[in-house]
Amino acid sequence: MKQYECLVPGCAWHTQAEDSAEIVRRAADHLRSVHSESVVRPEMIDRIKQRIHEPAAAQ
């Protein structure tokens, strides 16, 4: 399982999925619908990919 938190400061949106491609798709949809990004540029996709991580283990 992989996890991602929105890259827009102050936005608490997050998602989890088994593969990175699904997280990128969800994050791009989120940027378009919530943050009014009409075009998700390649640099934004790169930033999304950089922020995908494994969730921290619960203690």
Side-chain angles (χ1 to χ4, degrees), residues 3 6 8-9 20-23 27 32 38 40 42-43 51 55 57:
Q3 183 171 305
C6 183
V8 176
S20 296
E22 178 61 16
I23 289 179
R32 282 187 211 91
S38 57
V40 180
E43 306 85 54
R51 294 174 58 99

Side-chain angles (χ1 to χ4, degrees), residues 4-31:
Y4 170 81
E5 292 84 23
C6 183
L7 54 81
V8 176
C11 181
W13 182 86
H14 62 280
T15 190
Q16 291 184 335
E18 288 297 325
D19 78 21
S20 296
E22 178 61 16
I23 289 179
V24 170
R25 185 193 67 74
R26 291 178 189 178
D29 286 347
H30 170 75
L31 285 170

